[in-house]
Each structure stands twice: as C-alpha cells, then as structure tokens.
Amino acid sequence: MTVTVRAPAKINLHLGVGAPRADGFHPLVTVYQAVGLCDDVTAESSPGWLLDVTVPDWMDADAVPVTGDNLVDRAARLLAGHHGIDALASVSVAKAIPVAGGMAGGSADAAAALVALDRLWQLHTSDDDLLALAARLGSDVPFALLGGTALGTGRGELVEPVPDQATWWWVAVPSGEGLSTPAVYRRFDDLTPDAPAEPEGAGAVLLALSTGDPEILAGALHNDLEAAALDLRPDLGDLLELGERCGALRGLVSGSGPTCVFLAESADAARGVAGRLAEHHEVVLVTNGPVAGAHVVTYG
Ligand code: C5P
C-alpha cells in the first residue's frame, strides 16, 4: 500500500504579533493563505521506519534534518503514540517549499505525514484529533491541514476558514540561506519592547479579501515580523524594492522570512514580474492561492 499526500506552503497576508506570553510563544492574529507551492509526502508499508527527503537542485539538502528530529519523524511518533501502535512505514518527502523560508514547509510536511500515515495505518483519526496533534507539532501545522485562507489566533494554531473567492497571484523569491524562526522572534522582542498584549487585528486584510481587488489587498498586507527579518537580513529590503520596481503591487517578507513574496495584478503580471526578477535572482517561483490543505493525491 502506498499513499501520497500533498500539502501547501503558506503566506501570512496579515501577521500581527503581541508581547511574548508566559510560555514564551507570541500571541498572533494572522491571516494565512495556502499557495500552490507544495511538498509531497509518500508513505508505504514497511517492517521498520525509514525517512528519505529529496529536494530540487536549487535547495540546500543539508538544511533539512533527516535523523530523528525531522517534523515527519515527530508526526509519525505522535500519531502512532496516540493510537498505541508502532510507527512502521517508509516515508519519502519530495520538497518544493523553500526550507527555513518562512513558508511553513516543515509544517506542510508534518501535516501531510499525519494524513498519509493515518490512511496507511487505517486509523480513521477524527479531524479534531488530527488538528490537536498538528498543534502539538508546530503553530503552523493545523493550517497546513486546513488550507484555503484562514484566520489564525492563539500562537497561530487556532484556525478558522475565512471567505476568499478570488485567485491571487504571487511571485516568491527564496533565499540561499534560511532564517531561524526563534531568532526572528527574539529580534522582534529586542526591537519592540513595548509590543501590545493583543496583536494588531486583521480587519483590513479581511475586508480587502472580500473585494477581490489585488490593489486593495496590496495596500492591506501587514507583517509585524518584517522589521526583525530585515534587521537580521538587510539584503531583503533591497529585494523588496526590486520586486516593486519590477512591477509587483507590493513585496512582503513571508512570515519570519527570508522568502520574499510579491503580489501581482494577474497571472500575466506575475509572470512579467518573475521574468524581470529572474535577471537578478536565480530562483523565482510563480504561484497562486488559495489552494487546498493537505490532501491525498494517490492511494493504492
Ligand atoms: O510553533 P513552532 O514550532 O513553529 O515555533 C517555532 C518557534 O518560533 C518557537 O519555538 C518560538 O520560538 C517561535 N514562535 C513564537 N510565537 C509563535 C510561534 C512561534 O515565539 N506564535
């Protein structure tokens, strides 16, 4: 038996961050959008546990942990433990989402692994239990299960779908070197000692989504982690300006970065922006959203 599950990257259209809570996590009000850059996780029956990761040429394979602390290992142990069974499977991850890029690639892999292994092991885990297991694996993992466009609260793990009828076109420029999410949050704390307990609300983005107008959404995009990411990586500021000069409506650091994403007026406009950015950057990806969360693509 083989099951392949596909899970999407995310962009935070709004990322409001508050002062750290007692547990060290930051309260968030975020609007996630799942976009069509996806990782595929394939699980097969096996007498032991095996994990293998393949990456495209442009990605640094060494940046992906493969020995026991990959989020896929943790997802398998958590799901197996929840049902009191042994985690026996051969799992391969085919990555297309930038590693350590602020697009929740590891979270997508964890979500895909939960769904794939639930099918392979025929566990019939309820949606509520899968979402709860996902939240234990990482703040962004529940959203990778849900997909679409969603409001995230708590530390990002509490997700509810929001209406989003349009198709939004994005250009993503990954960075050769990743940024550590905890390091970006620490820099946010240094730069924002007076952060409010309640993060900034997402009203402007939710309203913009309802108009379907990319110019209005461009004006509403907001990321409280952007200043911290730019402080750690000043080159990203140049990239954001370049993308806007290349015709993007707006450039934004994705989540904690360093991937920068650019909202374009249309599919054609996105291809134009990407073509111009490709004169300066080796890897430039065109994608759109919203797309589905983790879902089975082959089974049998
Ligand atoms: O939840 P996840 O494992 O993705 O978080 C990675 C790290 O990012 C956390 O250990 C924490 O340092 C930081 N983080 C945070 N507040 C959040 C989400 C993540 O401080 N809401």
Side-chain angles (χ1 to χ4, degrees):
M1 160 96 84
T2 303
V3 187
T4 298
V5 173
R6 181 162 294 166
K10 58 83 180 162
I11 291 173
N12 300 86
L13 309 179
H14 174 90
L15 181 52
V17 181
R21 315 187 303 200
D23 65 1
F25 282 91
H26 293 70
L28 303 183
V29 172
T30 188
V31 177
Y32 295 106
Q33 184 171 87
V35 296
L37 297 175
C38 294
D39 286 356
D40 281 355
V41 172
T42 299
E44 281 179 84
S45 312
S46 163
W49 171 253
L50 283 171
L51 175 63
D52 147 87
V53 179
T54 55
V55 303
D57 290 345
W58 55 267
M59 221 181 260
D60 178 10
D62 297 338
V64 187
V66 280
T67 46
D69 53 353
N70 188 292
L71 267 177
V72 172
D73 295 300
R74 293 181 41 209
R77 287 198 298 265
L78 194 63
L79 182 66
H82 179 72
H83 291 279
I85 60 167
D86 291 329
L88 305 177
S90 170
V91 175
S92 53
V93 180
K95 293 210 62 75
I97 305 173
V99 176
M103 299 193 81
S107 302
D109 300 345
L114 286 176
V115 175
L117 293 169
D118 180 63
R119 281 296 183 94
L120 182 76
W121 296 334
Q122 302 187 3
L123 299 171
H124 306 286
T125 313
S126 69
D127 287 353
D128 282 350
D129 282 1
L130 273 185
L131 284 166
L133 295 172
R136 290 174 58 186
L137 292 166
S139 307
D140 295 335
V141 183
F143 175 70
L145 286 174
L146 187 67
T149 303
L151 183 67
T153 53
R155 60 182 162 86
E157 88 285 19
L158 305 173
V159 285
E160 54 181 289
V162 299
D164 184 6
Q165 303 300 326
T167 295
W168 309 93
W169 286 90
W170 297 95
V171 177
V173 181
S175 175
E177 212 176 309
L179 262 180
S180 141
T181 303
V184 175
Y185 275 103
R186 279 197 300 274
R187 187 57 59 99
F188 170 86
D189 292 338
D190 294 343
L191 294 175
T192 329
D194 52 353
E198 286 285 314
E200 185 172 329
V205 158
L206 296 175
L207 194 64
L209 288 172
S210 71
T211 68
D213 183 335
E215 276 194 48
I216 296 177
L217 182 61
L221 296 171
H222 177 86
N223 181 0
D224 275 341
L225 291 182
E226 187 164 278
L230 295 182
D231 198 57
L232 289 165
R233 288 282 304 276
D235 57 306
L236 300 180
D238 299 335
L239 172 55
L240 292 177
E241 278 176 26
L242 178 68
E244 291 179 3
R245 280 205 304 281
C246 287
L249 295 173
R250 174 88 187 272
L252 185 79
V253 171
S254 179
S256 58
T259 304
C260 289
V261 293
F262 299 92
L263 182 62
E265 178 91 55
S266 63
D268 280 349
R271 282 187 278 269
V273 171
R276 290 185 282 279
L277 274 168
E279 292 169 21
H280 307 268
H281 286 268
E282 206 179 325
V283 185
V284 180
L285 310 163
V286 175
T287 189
N288 64 40
V291 301
H295 60 284
V296 175
V297 287
T298 60
Y299 182 78

